[in-house]
């Protein structure tokens, strides 16, 4: 083909067209048509604009094809020397031909595989989070339903003002976990005589935890392993069944006012008291507030102070049970079920005569820990 001068290009007839990709080394050609027709200067300027638009399309298409190859999850495989072809539309009489080639290198293929794996991990995490979210919503509904049965005043078989004469048996529950396998645990339930605090009954349950620890939902992890032992005692030896049970966990000092002690008490219809070692931040209360209370209001052993949230509600009591005057860790006491906060404090104080933790919970903890150690030694 002979070379075409600029004056001849001006005389060409250029219809609207779309680019067609064929090869990586071709040039743009315009076929000559209607040689006898002359275009004025205005049409010549249109030709220049058309050329500029075509160059812009070329740049955009290159960017699109590169991104498309990196992100596409298509199952089709592209060879390392293949080209991306954009077919010409049959409905347009186009005389312009443009050629773009996109080579897919091994690095790009590796990037695609890496992106696919990353997306799969993210999808699995989102799917897992969705299941956990749905589970939490179910648990919340159950908590709100059980909370309707919660009793926050004294409904007892003993006289709170005459504990030494009327309170005969007091229970304690705790769970200890295997350090090597946190899913394995020993649940412990003990009954102590009162006021001498001697263990008269104990039971254990070797268990597998089906759920991880989730703040606000401890009851769904632990109650199933505790209630069976308590029911068994009530059926077999009702004469020594505890009149109140101390629980290693929160009562109404909880995000929804229904912690482990409440949950266990309502299900078994037994008076319960929540005794927690760590402060659960709720209702606008802060760690700084707790530190201020410790410094100014808990200077002596057996001192206590109410935990009042921004709502004005009293959620429990912070209690100095240790004989230490400094660097001590307080307990957080809250009512569980069928008992008032005032009576709860009286009982806890009577159970913390020698040690920081109330004796029923301390004994349950000691026994479950010993069993965990025995199981660990057997494995060795």
């Amino acid at each position: 083909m002979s070379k075409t001068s600029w004056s001849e290009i001006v005389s060409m007839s250029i219809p609207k067209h779309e680019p067609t990709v064929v090869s990586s080394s071709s040039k743009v050609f315009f076929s000559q048509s209607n040689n006898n027709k002359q275009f004025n200067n205005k049409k010549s300027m249109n030709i220049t604009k058309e050329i500029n638009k075509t160059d812009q399309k070329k740049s955009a298409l290159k960017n699109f094809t590169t991104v498309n190859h990196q992100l596409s999850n298509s199952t089709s495989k592209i060879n390392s020397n293949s080209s991306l072809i954009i077919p010409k539309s049959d409905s347009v009489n186009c005389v312009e031909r443009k050629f773009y080639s996109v080579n897919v290198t091994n690095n790009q293929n590796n990037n695609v595989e890496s992106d696919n794996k990353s997306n799969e991990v993210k999808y699995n995490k989102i799917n897992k989070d969705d299941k956990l979210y749905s589970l939490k919503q179910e648990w919340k509904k159950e908590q709100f339903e059980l909370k309707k049965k919660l009793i926050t005043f004294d409904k007892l078989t003993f006289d709170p003002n005459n504990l030494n004469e009327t309170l005969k048996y007091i229970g304690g529950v705790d769970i200890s976990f295997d350090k090597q396998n946190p899913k394995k645990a020993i649940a412990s339930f003990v009954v102590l005589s009162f006021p001498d605090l001697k263990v008269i009954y104990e039971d254990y349950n070797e268990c597998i935890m089906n759920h991880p620890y989730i703040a606000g939902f401890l009851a769904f992890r632990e109650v199933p392993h505790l209630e069976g032992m308590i029911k068994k005692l009530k059926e077999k030896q009702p004469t020594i069944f505890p009149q109140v049970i101390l629980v290693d966990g929160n009562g109404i000092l909880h995000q929804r006012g229904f912690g482990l002690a409440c949950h266990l008490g309502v299900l078994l219809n037994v008076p319960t008291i929540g005794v927690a070692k760590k402060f659960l931040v709720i209702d606008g209360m802060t760690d700084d507030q707790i530190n201020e209370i410790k410094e100014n209001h808990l200077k002596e052993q057996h001192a206590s102070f109410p935990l009042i949230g921004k709502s004005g509600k009293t959620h429990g009591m912070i209690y100095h049970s240790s004989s230490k005057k400094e660097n001590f860790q307080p307990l957080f006491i809250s009512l569980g079920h069928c008992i008032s906060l005032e009576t709860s404090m009286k009982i806890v104080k009577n159970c913390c005569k020698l040690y920081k933790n109330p004796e029923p919970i301390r004994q349950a903890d000691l026994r479950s820990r010993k069993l965990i150690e025995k199981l660990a030694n057997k494995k060795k």
Side-chain angles (χ1 to χ4, degrees), residues 50-252:
E50 200 68 35
I51 293 173
N52 290 336
K53 288 181 181 179
T54 302
D55 290 337
Q56 291 174 358
K57 290 179 181 179
K58 175 180 178 179
S59 177
L61 283 169
K62 283 184 177 181
N63 292 334
F64 168 76
T65 53
T66 301
V67 173
N68 184 57
H69 276 291
Q70 290 180 345
L71 301 180
S72 174
N73 290 326
S74 172
T75 56
S76 61
K77 296 182 179 179
I78 305 174
N79 295 326
S80 61
N81 295 324
S82 64
S83 299
L84 177 67
I85 299 177
I86 303 176
K88 171 182 173 181
S89 173
D90 294 335
S91 60
V92 178
N93 293 322
C94 179
V95 295
E96 179 186 12
R97 296 177 183 268
K98 284 201 170 188
F99 312 99
Y100 310 112
S101 176
V102 178
N103 293 324
V104 182
T105 64
N106 290 331
N107 288 336
Q108 287 174 321
N109 283 330
N110 292 336
N111 289 338
V112 172
E113 291 179 4
S114 177
D115 288 341
N116 288 340
K117 290 180 180 178
S118 177
N119 289 336
E120 184 178 355
V121 170
K122 289 179 181 179
Y123 173 79
N124 290 336
K125 184 178 185 302
I126 292 172
N127 193 35
K128 184 178 180 180
D129 290 343
D130 287 343
K131 289 181 179 179
L132 185 59
Y133 175 79
S134 298
L135 187 60
K136 285 182 178 180
Q137 296 307 306
E138 291 178 11
W139 285 348
K140 283 182 182 179
K141 289 180 181 178
E142 186 173 342
Q143 284 177 332
F144 287 129
E145 286 301 313
L146 289 173
K147 189 178 178 181
K148 294 176 183 178
K149 302 177 182 179
L150 184 66
I151 297 173
T152 58
F153 54 86
D154 289 333
K155 190 177 179 182
L156 308 165
T157 60
F158 57 91
D159 183 1
N161 297 317
N162 188 14
L163 293 178
N164 289 344
E165 296 294 331
T166 60
L167 180 58
K168 301 298 182 181
Y169 305 109
I170 184 168
V173 292
D174 189 48
I175 295 181
S176 294
F177 295 87
D178 188 335
K179 294 180 180 179
Q180 302 299 323
N181 184 357
K183 287 187 176 181
K184 291 185 177 181
I186 297 291
S188 176
F189 168 50
V190 297
V191 179
L192 282 67
S193 57
F194 189 89
D196 57 351
L197 300 176
K198 301 297 183 182
V199 177
I200 62 169
Y201 177 88
E202 55 189 288
D203 194 9
Y204 314 98
N205 180 17
E206 185 176 352
C207 47
I208 301 295
M209 294 296 167
N210 296 320
H211 302 292
Y213 169 74
I214 304 172
F217 301 99
L218 181 62
F220 295 94
R221 176 177 166 88
E222 297 192 357
V223 165
H225 308 294
L226 297 172
E227 63 177 333
M229 295 184 293
I230 300 172
K231 286 180 177 179
K232 183 171 71 174
L233 175 63
K234 193 171 187 178
E235 293 173 359
K236 293 185 176 181
Q237 294 179 267
T239 56
I240 61 170
F241 190 79
Q243 294 161 279
V244 61
I245 298 175
L246 274 62
V247 180
D248 183 20
N250 286 303
I252 65 169

Side-chain angles (χ1 to χ4, degrees), residues 214 217-218 272 296 307 345 373:
I214 304 172
F217 301 99
L218 181 62
T272 54
N296 298 318
L307 295 170
M345 285 303 302
E373 290 175 3

